[in-house]
Amino acid sequence: MAGRRAALKAIDWLAFAERVPPNQRGMFNALKTRTDAISAKLASLPGKPAPIDWSYYRNAVAKAGMVDEFEQKFNALQIPEPVDTQTSAIDAQEQEAAQSALAYVEASKVRVATFEEELEKFKNMIPFDQMTIEDLNATFPETKLDKEKHPYWPHKPIADL
Amino acid sequence: MLSRLVLVSGPALKNSGSFGACLVQASRSLHSSPQSQAPVPPLPEKGGKVRHGIFPEELFTLLYPKTGVTGPYMLGTGLLLYMLSKEIYVINHETFAAASIGAVIIYGVKKFGPSVASFADKLNEEKVAKAQEVKDIAVTSLAQAIEDEKKEQWRAEGRQMLFDAKRNNVAMLLETNYRERLHMVTSEVKKRLDYQIALQNLHRRMEQEHMVNWVEKNVIQSITPQQEKESIAKCIADLKVLAKATQAKATA
């Protein structure tokens, strides 16, 4: 039988489970149950069917040549293998997923860069007890009092005190 | 009197003359204009040391080499006596008012100074602590966020497995289907052969039964009434003989 499908890739379900983010756990469980059902079904079928005992039939069946004819035809029969329609779809999905994962990783890296920048700022900050008000306004621009908008002390709406 | 004039006009001269220079010095020491790019040193924790609350320590250290420890005190006493004796400072009722107010102030500061100072320090401490807390929370949350992002990136790497699993599923389904087909073919062929055999067996059995029935029928037909009577008479005779034999056996 030519073209026997390649050996099934062993999947480490534990490692796979680790990589699944919590919000997709339901889908992962569904996939696992489906896979288990399919592999159980596969295991229940033996690889080759039980061979037919031609000699017994040759002696038993009275009709001449019938058994021989059957045997010939049986051995000559080529059972077509089922056509694989899904693998290409899966490959396409994989490409797409690779694209989106790349985009996500890029965005994630940008986020990491911003976070690290802020972390650096915090690390290099002078300690609070050595700061003046100008230093505070420089490090945290949100603490700067708007003296144009509120010209009189306390330079911010009373409700914000 | 002349000395008094000098003293009175002196400050005026000083003001007009050195005021400008003072101003320039002040602005330079505050670094408000970008004349020097050196970083401003951190603010000192405590003010300059003073002795007796008013006199800076630098005066004492200045005079120490020449006049020793008692120098500044001598200077102070001398100045005071000079001012009193020459009536540069005149004692009047204001003096007593100043003395009493000074005494009260000094008593107040000595008694309540430390507690007020600690209260003010506590307020400041709280502000600094709050700011520090904000900073710590920010730092930890940022570090956590970076960790999470890295974890998500690692997770995304594992997407390969999903597609492997899918392909496996497809392969398994195909294999199952193929095997089912094989099994079906074999079982169908076997069924047909078995059918032939069963058919043959059925034929043979029917022939046998038919033959047996036919033979039986013919035998029964061939028994004529004449033969029947003869065979019944023979049977009765045999029975009589047998009965005699058994009677004889019984009595003997």
Side-chain angles (χ1 to χ4, degrees):
Chain A
M1 319 276 176
R4 266 309 242 233
R5 52 218 43 76
L8 296 171
K9 221 165 171 186
I11 295 189
D12 185 358
W13 286 99
L14 285 174
F16 191 6
E18 270 178 11
R19 299 230 187 199
V20 169
N23 59 348
Q24 292 175 4
R25 200 144 274 282
M27 296 185 347
F28 172 73
N29 287 342
L31 176 69
K32 184 140 202 303
T33 21
R34 244 200 341 259
T35 311
D36 288 342
I38 293 174
S39 54
K41 185 133 180 281
L42 180 67
S44 71
L45 290 174
K48 289 200 180 304
I52 302 181
D53 192 358
W54 296 108
S55 44
Y56 164 70
Y57 282 113
R58 222 187 303 274
N59 296 338
V61 175
K63 267 207 200 129
M66 183 179 185
V67 172
D68 291 329
E69 193 185 327
F70 268 38
E71 190 178 355
Q72 245 179 13
K73 286 219 177 111
F74 182 76
N75 288 339
L77 182 65
Q78 289 279 41
I79 301 177
E81 292 180 357
V83 177
D84 184 4
T85 51
Q86 299 299 324
T87 308
S88 53
I90 293 178
D91 284 337
Q93 266 184 1
E94 190 174 5
Q95 296 300 327
E96 217 178 278
Q99 291 285 348
S100 69
L102 215 61
Y104 178 78
V105 163
E106 286 303 318
S108 173
K109 286 208 173 109
V110 166
R111 279 196 290 268
V112 166
T114 43
F115 290 150
E116 284 195 342
E117 203 180 288
E118 289 197 19
L119 204 61
E120 278 309 305
K121 179 186 105 170
F122 275 113
K123 284 216 174 93
N124 296 344
M125 198 172 79
I126 49 178
F128 285 109
D129 38 7
Q130 287 178 16
M131 263 193 205
T132 63
I133 295 291
E134 283 99 8
D135 292 332
L136 183 69
N137 292 346
T139 321
F140 301 107
E142 61 266 15
T143 52
K144 198 166 160 63
L145 295 169
D146 193 352
K147 302 223 165 130
E148 278 98 48
K149 195 156 170 235
H150 307 277
Y152 300 110
W153 185 85
H155 304 293
K156 52 178 156 173
I158 299 285
D160 283 355
L161 269 177
Chain B
M1 218 180 90
L2 270 170
S3 50
R4 224 181 280 181
L5 261 176
V6 167
L7 278 170
V8 165
S9 59
L13 271 173
K14 237 194 353 193
N15 274 349
S16 61
S18 60
F19 196 61
C22 228
L23 200 61
V24 171
Q25 269 178 355
S27 68
R28 244 223 308 217
S29 69
L30 284 177
H31 280 258
S32 54
S33 59
Q35 285 181 351
S36 138
Q37 303 299 323
V40 179
L43 301 170
E45 185 86 13
K46 301 202 177 302
K49 285 187 101 32
V50 284
R51 235 193 249 203
H52 305 296
I54 323 172
F55 307 106
E57 196 66 38
E58 281 85 9
L59 177 67
F60 292 79
T61 42
L62 193 69
L63 293 174
Y64 180 78
K66 289 282 193 256
T67 54
V69 178
T70 50
Y73 293 105
M74 289 290 106
L75 178 64
T77 316
L79 270 175
L80 185 63
L81 284 176
Y82 168 68
M83 294 217 294
L84 283 171
S85 72
K86 289 281 191 182
E87 294 249 322
I88 297 169
Y89 176 68
V90 177
I91 293 194
N92 50 12
H93 23 273
E94 298 288 328
T95 311
F96 289 103
S100 2
I101 291 173
V104 167
I105 289 177
I106 287 172
Y107 172 75
V109 165
K110 280 233 146 44
K111 186 108 191 241
F112 304 112
S115 58
V116 168
S118 65
F119 173 73
D121 281 341
K122 198 156 65 86
L123 287 178
N124 217 19
E125 278 295 318
E126 277 173 18
K127 280 195 199 149
V128 169
K130 247 197 286 190
Q132 186 69 25
E133 206 182 297
V134 164
K135 178 187 167 187
D136 287 338
I137 288 176
V139 164
T140 42
S141 71
L142 280 175
Q144 183 66 30
I146 291 179
E147 278 304 311
D148 287 339
E149 287 289 330
K150 293 220 159 77
K151 189 129 199 258
E152 289 301 314
Q153 283 182 11
W154 175 77
R155 283 213 169 118
E157 281 172 19
R159 68 188 179 278
Q160 182 78 15
M161 293 197 215
L162 168 65
F163 294 105
D164 285 341
K166 279 193 172 183
R167 274 192 281 258
N168 268 10
N169 274 5
V170 166
M172 283 200 283
L173 278 172
L174 291 176
E175 178 74 19
T176 314
N177 200 348
Y178 181 71
R179 284 189 193 176
E180 273 177 6
R181 287 184 191 183
L182 281 178
H183 283 279
M184 195 174 69
V185 162
T186 317
S187 65
E188 285 295 310
V189 168
K190 204 152 183 306
K191 267 200 304 202
R192 294 214 185 338
L193 288 171
D194 286 341
Y195 171 75
Q196 289 297 324
I197 294 183
L199 199 62
Q200 279 173 205
N201 288 351
L202 179 68
H203 259 286
R204 183 157 297 165
R205 212 181 49 196
M206 282 193 70
E207 282 172 8
Q208 266 183 345
E209 277 185 20
H210 183 81
M211 212 182 296
V212 164
N213 282 349
W214 188 79
V215 164
E216 242 185 82
K217 207 172 63 173
N218 274 1
V219 165
I220 290 180
Q221 266 181 353
S222 70
I223 299 181
T224 61
Q226 170 71 6
Q227 272 182 321
E228 212 168 332
K229 266 198 203 144
E230 273 183 23
S231 55
I232 287 179
K234 185 114 197 315
C235 287
I236 292 175
D238 281 336
L239 275 170
K240 279 196 185 142
V241 169
L242 271 172
K244 277 207 190 112
T246 48
Q247 253 185 351
K249 263 206 205 123
T251 52

